[in-house]
Amino acid sequence: MELLIMVDACRRASARSITAVVPYYGYARADRKVQGRESIAAKLTANLITEAGADRVLAIDLHSGQCVGYFDIPVDHVYGESVILDYLASKRIATGDLVVVSPDVGGVARARAFAKKLNDAPLAIVDKRRSAHNVSEVMNLIGDVKGKVAVLVDDMIDTAGTITNAAKVLAKEGAREVYACATHAVFSPPAVERLSSGVFQEVIVANTIPVAPENVFPQLTILSVANLLGETIWRVYNAASVQALRD
């Protein structure tokens, strides 16, 4: 509502153009009807932002690509992986020791793109069966992680059930260290308890969502996306390529 009111205020003040910068696009997971009588809240939110008067939207790591199509205005979709990749590169993990892991089948494309930028690191997949909303059960692992440093990649960490169960399977299969990487730190309870339970060497997130002081724990590393957003905004207003940021 705050965003919609600010957009409306700018429109009534005769702003030439209005860009809504939305680091974390709320309701992005409600992007389709899984069963009857469900709302597609991602589309509804897109309509609200458009009707309020925004001319353009800038978002980081949308949950699914089709969210871009829900808007009838231009959307600049940038990826927080570049910030995380730079940080991982600074840790100087040997290329042969590294394996990128997708915590579920739906995140394979994201993990594959991530692995490609880590000197084409090998890929593993955790096969997950979900029995209910926010409840996940891990079944098995596709790929080899024995004696390697496993990097779990996801777009967000909500209750951390998926990524923690995946980490336990990786440890059971012989992974030497397990890192968790995600752009959005939603951290719904009991996420902090799960993430700080000792299964992760480090949990790396971006600051697209402010992390409350009580949710900070020793293994947590928070990276800033300020430079990424600033560069994107500069490119939008100077008619330069936003895609070049990812290439």
Side-chain angles (χ1 to χ4, degrees):
M1 281 305 300
E2 287 180 355
L3 173 65
L4 299 178
I5 291 166
M6 287 189 287
V7 168
D8 183 63
C10 290
R11 187 183 64 171
R12 293 175 189 277
S14 303
R16 188 178 67 202
S17 67
I18 303 167
T19 299
V21 180
V22 188
Y24 172 62
Y25 181 59
Y27 303 102
R29 283 178 290 177
D31 57 2
R32 64 193 184 279
K33 284 187 73 171
V34 179
Q35 55 191 14
R37 302 187 183 93
E38 277 192 347
S39 167
I40 305 177
K43 171 61 176 168
L44 173 63
T45 309
N47 287 346
L48 289 169
I49 293 171
T50 306
E51 289 300 315
D55 300 303
R56 194 180 196 99
V57 170
L58 167 56
I60 297 181
D61 276 339
L62 293 169
H63 187 62
S64 56
Q66 69 249 33
C67 286
V68 174
Y70 292 159
F71 288 90
D72 295 323
I73 54 178
V75 177
D76 295 301
H77 183 201
V78 295
Y79 298 86
E81 65 182 23
S82 59
V83 176
I84 296 170
L85 284 165
D86 287 344
Y87 177 76
L88 284 175
S90 72
K91 299 190 81 66
R92 300 187 181 279
I93 302 167
T95 306
D97 289 346
L98 196 65
V99 58
V100 175
V101 185
S102 173
D104 55 22
V105 177
V108 172
R110 183 185 302 108
R112 187 188 293 120
F114 197 88
K116 192 174 181 181
K117 294 187 177 181
L118 283 172
N119 296 321
D120 222 0
L123 185 67
I125 304 162
V126 176
D127 178 34
K128 177 194 72 177
R129 307 291 166 91
R130 192 183 292 275
S131 56
H133 282 300
N134 289 350
V135 178
S136 65
E137 183 181 356
V138 171
M139 301 301 287
N140 49 46
L141 178 71
I142 304 164
D144 179 32
V145 297
K146 191 171 184 179
K148 296 190 176 183
V149 176
V151 178
L152 278 159
V153 180
D154 211 345
D155 64 323
M156 69 175 72
I157 298 176
D158 185 3
T159 60
T162 298
I163 208 160
T164 305
N165 286 342
K168 288 175 182 175
V169 169
L170 294 173
K172 185 180 175 183
E173 294 292 330
R176 194 170 79 239
E177 292 177 351
V178 181
Y179 289 81
C181 299
T183 304
H184 308 300
V186 180
F187 287 177
S188 302
V192 174
E193 288 80 359
R194 287 170 171 169
L195 294 170
S196 59
S197 62
V199 291
F200 296 103
Q201 180 77 12
E202 192 172 359
V203 178
I204 305 162
V205 299
N207 63 345
T208 52
I209 301 172
V211 178
E214 61 269 20
N215 287 341
V216 175
F217 51 95
Q219 297 93 334
L220 182 66
T221 299
I222 303 171
L223 306 175
S224 175
V225 292
N227 287 341
L228 176 64
L229 279 176
E231 176 69 16
T232 307
I233 292 167
W234 183 90
R235 286 171 179 267
V236 166
Y237 279 92
N238 287 277
S241 172
V242 174
Q243 178 63 33
L245 280 172
R246 199 181 186 202
D247 295 340

